[in-house]
Structure formats: structure tokens, C-alpha cells
Amino acid sequence: MALQVWEREIIRKTFRKITTAALCYIDRGRDGLELQRNLVNDFAVSLVAIGSHETGDYNVEYETYKRVIEVFKTLPTVKLHFLEEESFCGEKDPCFDLCTLVPLCVVCADALVMRHIDRFYSEFVTFLNDLKIEKLLIIYDLCNRIPSTIDKLKELLGKYFARVGLKTINQIADKAEKSPKLFVGTIVQLHDNFSKLVKDSFRTNNEFMTTMEVSFTEFVAENNITNGGKTEAKSSRLIASYYDQLLRKGIAAEERLSGLEKAIIACKYIRDKDTFNDHYQKLLCKRLIYHLSVGIETEKEIVSKLREKFQCPRVFDAMLTETLKSEIEMEDFKVG
């Protein structure tokens, strides 16, 4: 009964004035003045108690907020605005009921991000080129509140990866054609740099990692070494040749281990896997026939990893098994 009287005699007659006063009071808090949040919270709780929050009246807060925040501000300020508005519905000293949080965040996202999304995209490209990691992270976090904007960020990031990756490969193309180590090393360095960028600026988002991998596959296959992809097999042969260098006698164990880790990363971005397998098989045969291999067990270990990750043909296993069998028979013959 008391709540009904409160709603009829007080709320309905003074709702607009009280709401406007409450919002003006909150704006003082946005301007840095200290608020007695319990005053606003008591008002909000009373609305919830009588069910007024279920009507359109309670949403006047969101519409007012739209009018207040119209100017695009610096990214850190935008981020702070989100945190501040969310704090109004937090567990500690709330101003509004928790039911306000979701629609309030929607309005914030619209006012602070969506209405300025073209500028966000433009700034995103600039920050990428300048590698402004912290600002990229802020843009990602803000846009992540609006799922429809993420695809555009992935598109822009993919173009950045493709452009920087292709430029880097082309810069070393002349030397890399004769240096498998340089080719693989450049790919791995790009991989490390781009992976760190995705980790630091996009919270290791799987979709952004996939964008990176797609870009890698393209510029590893299509560059000045491969004549824009017309001789794509060159990339595959260079990586197979790098394996050959590492698996020959005379390479220090530490250098071999480090190199093989790099080779595995480079293999991930081979598009022409058939050429890689064919060339690897030919080089493996040479190592075994001319006794150039570092050892059968090491060869087996690498083939096992290649088969696990890249569907390396089992014929490699057969070759190694036959070679090992021949060596054992030869030793037995010598002993006999």
C-alpha cells in the first residue's frame, strides 16, 4: 500500500524533475566532483521496488547520456568513461540498480564508439603503422564491446600483416634465393613479431591469430622469390633445403636444435606441401646414400614431427627403416 501511494503521489508527479536532478548530480561526478552515491541509489532502488524501471521512464538516463557524450575524446578518456559508468552499477557505492548495467553499456558503446567508428578505424591503421601497442589494445577492448566492428579490425590487421610481410621478404629476396637459412630466419622473425603484436594488442584473440596465419601463407608463397606465386615451389624447396643443412654432419647440436625449431614454424606456412615433401625426400636420400646425415635417430625424430604436423608421407619412415637395416647388416658382415 505504501509503495502504491509513493508511486501515485510522488513518483508520477515529480518523476521528470527528480530524474533530471539525479542525472545532473551524476554529471557532477563525471566532472570530478565527489558524489554521495547513496542518494542516487536510494532513488533508483525505490524505482525498482515499484517496478518503474520496467517502463520506458527509467531509460531516460540512457537518452540523457547520449546527449551528454557527443564529442570523440582521447582513447584513454573513452576507456575511463566506460569504467566510470560501469562503476555506477557496481557492487561498491552504486548509483543505479544492476539491471541498468547492460543497457547503459549499450548506450556507452553507441555514444563513445559506434558513432565515431570510422575515426576508430582510421586511428587503428595509424597506430598499427607506428606500433602503438597500448593504443591498439584500447581500440580493441572498446570495439570488442561491439562485435560487429571486429571483422573490420581483422581485415585491417590482415592487410597490415600482408603488406609488412611481403615487403620484408622482398627486401631479402635476392640473397634468400641462395640462402635457405636467411629465408627461414626472416619468416620466423616476422612470426615472432606478429605473434607478439597479437598477444599484446589483441589479447591473443584466436580470430586475430588466424588472420595472421592466413596472411603468412599468402606472402610466403607469393613474393619476389616465387615471382609473385608463379614459381611457388621455390619457397617449399628453400625450407626443405634448410632442413637438409641442419641434418647434415658438422652442425653444432645447439645450432641444430635452434634451427629445427625455426624450420617447424616456417613449415606451418607452406602452401605447396607436395613440393616440400618431394624435395625433402630427395635430400634425405642424398644424406643417407652418401652418409652425410647426422644420424638415423635424429632423422626419425624430425620425420615424426613433420608427419604429425604436416602429414609427411610414411615413405620417409620406410626409407629410414631400410637404411638402418642395411647399416646393421653391414656391421654384422664386417664382424663376421
Side-chain angles (χ1 to χ4, degrees):
M1 177 69 74
L3 288 176
Q4 291 177 350
V5 173
W6 167 260
E7 179 184 12
R8 184 179 66 250
E9 300 299 329
I10 304 296
I11 296 300
R12 290 185 180 179
K13 294 180 179 180
T14 63
F15 181 83
R16 294 296 180 187
K17 291 182 179 180
I18 296 176
T19 301
T20 300
L23 294 177
C24 289
Y25 188 62
I26 291 170
D27 283 339
R28 292 176 58 192
R30 292 186 179 120
D31 292 334
L33 299 177
E34 186 176 352
L35 291 180
Q36 294 184 30
R37 294 191 174 200
N38 62 304
L39 294 178
V40 183
N41 182 248
D42 289 344
F43 172 61
V45 169
S46 69
L47 294 182
V48 174
I50 62 176
S52 290
H53 69 290
E54 296 175 357
T55 70
D57 292 334
Y58 197 44
N59 291 331
V60 69
E61 153 63 11
Y62 319 139
E63 296 305 318
T64 301
Y65 188 79
K66 283 184 180 181
R67 293 194 295 272
V68 171
I69 306 297
E70 290 291 344
V71 181
F72 182 88
K73 299 185 178 182
T74 61
L75 286 173
T77 303
V78 174
K79 182 178 180 179
L80 287 175
H81 263 294
F82 266 106
L83 297 176
E84 182 182 65
E85 296 305 321
E86 289 173 345
S87 75
F88 288 149
C89 304
E91 295 181 359
K92 184 179 180 181
D93 297 329
C95 284
F96 307 123
D97 186 76
L98 185 60
C99 68
T100 309
L101 180 59
V102 172
L104 181 60
C105 287
V106 170
V107 170
C108 286
D110 177 70
L112 296 173
V113 180
M114 203 61 198
R115 295 189 183 192
H116 312 280
I117 195 61
D118 288 338
R119 183 170 176 184
F120 267 84
Y121 293 150
S122 176
E123 294 291 336
F124 180 78
V125 173
T126 300
F127 295 150
L128 263 181
N129 293 332
D130 296 337
L131 291 179
K132 301 291 186 181
I133 303 300
E134 292 183 1
K135 291 185 177 180
L136 287 170
L137 179 59
I138 293 175
I139 286 184
Y140 168 74
D141 284 341
L142 291 173
C143 287
N144 205 31
R145 294 171 177 268
I146 308 175
S148 61
T149 65
I150 293 298
D151 284 344
K152 183 63 176 181
L153 292 187
K154 289 191 295 183
E155 177 189 335
L156 295 173
L157 183 63
K159 290 180 179 179
Y160 169 80
F161 286 149
R163 176 171 54 80
V164 174
L166 182 60
K167 180 181 178 181
T168 303
I169 294 293
N170 287 344
Q171 285 176 339
I172 54 98
D174 291 339
K175 295 181 179 179
E177 281 193 83
K178 299 178 181 179
S179 176
K181 182 178 181 180
L182 176 60
F183 182 64
V184 171
T186 302
I187 292 174
V188 172
Q189 186 61 58
L190 284 169
H191 174 272
D192 291 346
N193 293 344
F194 290 172
S195 295
K196 188 176 188 306
L197 176 61
V198 174
K199 176 185 176 182
D200 294 343
S201 296
F202 306 102
R203 303 191 184 280
T204 320
N205 183 302
N206 288 334
E207 293 183 17
F208 284 75
M209 289 297 294
T210 299
T211 297
M212 182 192 82
E213 292 170 358
V214 170
S215 298
F216 253 97
T217 303
E218 291 178 356
F219 67 70
V220 167
E222 301 174 13
N223 50 65
N224 286 355
I225 296 175
T226 65
N227 192 21
K230 294 179 181 178
T231 54
E232 184 179 329
K234 284 185 177 181
S235 290
S236 301
R237 285 197 289 267
L238 279 170
I239 296 174
S241 295
Y242 184 57
Y243 270 104
D244 183 57
Q245 292 178 359
L246 295 171
L247 293 171
R248 287 178 174 239
K249 295 177 181 178
I251 302 295
E254 186 176 338
E255 180 183 351
R256 178 180 297 109
L257 181 61
S258 173
L260 289 172
E261 290 177 354
K262 293 179 180 179
I264 285 291
I265 293 174
C267 271
K268 186 176 182 179
Y269 304 114
I270 293 175
R271 196 161 65 183
D272 184 0
K273 289 183 170 57
D274 289 339
T275 296
F276 171 80
N277 288 334
D278 290 343
H279 197 57
Y280 189 97
Q281 182 177 353
K282 291 177 182 177
L283 295 173
L284 174 60
C285 286
K286 287 184 178 180
R287 291 198 299 275
L288 297 177
I289 292 173
Y290 296 106
H291 303 286
L292 300 174
S293 173
V294 67
I296 298 297
E297 292 305 318
T298 302
E299 295 279 9
K300 279 187 173 182
E301 182 181 348
I302 299 304
V303 167
S304 177
K305 288 183 179 180
L306 289 173
R307 186 172 61 248
E308 176 186 344
K309 294 181 178 294
F310 311 110
Q311 299 179 340
C312 180
R314 289 191 174 275
V315 66
F316 294 179
D317 286 321
M319 291 170 57
L320 292 169
T321 301
E322 287 299 318
T323 301
L324 181 59
K325 181 180 178 182
S326 297
E327 289 186 354
I328 293 174
E329 290 176 348
M330 183 63 70
E331 289 298 322
D332 290 342
F333 178 77
K334 289 179 180 179
V335 173

